[in-house]
Amino acid sequence: MQRLLIVLLAAVDAVVAAAIGLALLLAPLTVIWAVAFGQRADWGALWPTTATLWQFGHGVPLTVALPDALVRSTGLDPSAARFVLSVAPLLLLCFTAIFAARSGRRAALAGSWPSGVISGTVVFAAISAGAALTGALGAVQTPLWMAVLFPPLVFLCGALAGAIATAWGEGDGGLVDRVQDALDRHPDWAHTPGDIVRGAAVAVAGVVGAAAVVVAVAALVRGGQVVALFEALRADGLGVVVIGLAQLAYVPTLVAWAVAWIAGPGFSIGAGTAVSPAGTALGVVPGVPALGLVPDSSSPWFLIIVLVPIAAGALAGWLIRSQQVAAGAEAPFGPRAATAAGIAVLAGGAGALLAALSRGSLGPGRLAVAGPDPGPVALALGLEVLVGAGILLLAPRRRGPLDAAWLDDEDALRSDRV
């Protein structure tokens, strides 16, 4: 495919990704505007609200400054009238990253992934800059440089991941092939980078999947607390819909918190609080219905959950070693040890990234600290995955009948040569 066509198709992908993300916000907001305000609706504020929420969904923090009249009428503490909201709803970020990965994959299959990645990112950056410059709100402000930079950075990371993964498996006739040719000069280590990435993907997918199950089970077990918090808000039908949609956008954020809980360090909901398998210490929690899923007590049985990352690492190690054995090219001890260490490092890095994306401020005062701490999550998850992957990758393997037949053939060949 011609490079110009690849560039144009990648640009279209970026436009579609941004348009769908903005439309997912604009459509319900339009209905809410019409129902809530009717003929008195200020339609000029609809686009700035949409753009600001789109930026917030890509990790841009919001600085909220409540009007003085609202502070006086509600009796709020004036010190709480201005605060930062930075625990982002990660649903939009996940959508952009997945769509960008598909775009990067198509560019790699077309034969020129660098051009496609650069084109898509530039176009997405232009859309992001336009939204940042035209979507300013009075009471809610975003740092301009973050509003311009963060959304295209998400697109760039997703596109690079999809493009490089595809080029590594399919070839690209360029940089990736040159790297693979260099690795082929060292046969024992040639497959180590690919094994590390595949193993880390399996381990992270296992932990994230388990975290999603934990959130689903919490919704079933603690559904009554969520309903009670909904009732305590005394919201009308429109308010219930708005709150429900907002909480759906926060489901990936809750899954990221559950990853930190499974790994062991847990997370916080305010300064001086902790939610982990080892224990739970909560103060006054905001009356957000989704926070009703958080357990208000702990049990010694919860410590069993830390076996999940070990099992995920063991699954990754078993998969990699099984592939090596099936191909009749089991790597020596050194490359296998490096593979186990690499899987652990990437898994820990993924845990740190999830923690960083889901950490921030939920409001004023003590709520300025919420979410997991990336450092402890990375260390705990990396060590746990290392234990599981190391056991399966480094343990001596019992040879079966096929191995014995292969060794007999090798002995016969040696005797023929003599």
Side-chain angles (χ1 to χ4, degrees):
M1 186 180 294
Q2 294 182 356
R3 183 169 298 179
L4 177 60
L5 184 57
I6 296 172
V7 168
L8 292 176
L9 290 176
V12 171
D13 283 340
V15 172
V16 172
I20 292 177
L22 289 167
L24 288 174
L25 293 170
L26 185 60
L29 283 176
T30 301
V31 176
I32 292 169
W33 239 249
V35 174
F37 303 110
Q39 296 180 349
R40 298 178 292 105
D42 179 11
W43 293 102
L46 180 59
W47 166 249
T49 302
T50 302
T52 300
L53 291 177
W54 184 74
Q55 295 155 9
F56 183 47
H58 288 86
V60 180
L62 305 181
T63 300
V64 182
L66 301 178
D68 294 337
L70 178 61
V71 173
R72 288 193 298 268
S73 63
T74 56
L76 291 174
D77 185 352
S79 63
R82 185 180 179 86
F83 58 90
V84 175
L85 185 63
S86 57
V87 177
L90 297 180
L91 185 63
L92 275 177
L93 186 147
C94 293
F95 168 78
T96 299
I98 293 171
F99 203 100
R102 293 184 61 191
S103 177
R105 172 178 172 79
R106 283 195 290 267
L109 291 174
S112 182
W113 65 264
S115 301
V117 169
I118 293 172
S119 172
T121 303
V122 169
V123 171
F124 203 88
I127 296 172
S128 177
L133 293 173
T134 61
L137 280 175
V140 180
Q141 298 292 330
T142 58
L144 181 60
W145 70 272
M146 291 185 180
V148 173
L149 178 63
F150 279 18
L153 183 61
V154 173
F155 188 93
L156 174 62
C157 292
L160 279 176
I164 294 176
T166 302
W168 190 272
E170 303 292 335
D172 67 343
L175 177 61
V176 174
D177 281 350
R178 288 196 294 271
V179 171
Q180 289 183 330
D181 290 340
L183 290 172
D184 287 340
R185 300 190 188 101
H186 308 279
D188 289 343
W189 297 87
H191 298 287
T192 300
D195 290 343
I196 289 174
V197 174
R198 284 194 298 272
V202 171
V204 172
V207 175
V208 172
V213 172
V214 167
V215 173
V217 171
L220 293 175
V221 174
R222 298 184 58 83
Q225 285 80 352
V226 175
V227 172
L229 288 173
F230 257 116
E231 294 174 345
L233 294 176
R234 299 185 182 278
D236 57 9
L238 180 62
V240 170
V241 171
V242 172
I243 295 171
L245 291 176
Q247 292 184 127
L248 285 177
Y250 270 98
V251 167
T253 307
L254 295 176
V255 172
W257 287 13
V259 169
W261 188 79
I262 288 173
F267 56 91
S268 63
I269 308 178
T273 65
V275 181
S276 71
T280 299
L282 290 175
V284 179
V285 178
V288 179
L291 295 182
L293 301 179
V294 178
D296 50 14
S297 62
S298 184
S299 169
W301 291 103
F302 285 172
L303 294 174
I304 299 176
I305 201 69
V306 298
L307 295 176
V308 170
I310 297 175
L315 176 63
W318 173 82
L319 178 66
I320 297 302
R321 197 164 187 184
S322 297
Q323 290 176 343
Q324 292 178 354
V325 172
E330 186 175 10
F333 182 86
R336 283 187 281 124
T339 299
I343 291 173
V345 169
L346 289 186
L353 178 61
L354 289 174
L357 291 174
S358 61
R359 177 179 174 82
S361 171
L362 282 175
R366 57 187 293 271
L367 293 178
V369 180
D373 193 344
V377 172
L379 181 61
L381 187 59
L383 290 176
E384 290 158 358
V385 170
L386 178 62
V387 170
I391 291 174
L392 269 294
L393 280 171
L394 304 180
R397 188 173 64 87
R398 185 178 63 181
R399 298 190 180 276
L402 292 179
D403 297 311
W406 180 80
L407 289 175
D408 291 340
D409 292 340
E410 286 291 310
D411 293 338
L413 288 173
R414 291 193 189 95
S415 62
D416 290 341
R417 293 192 190 102
V418 174

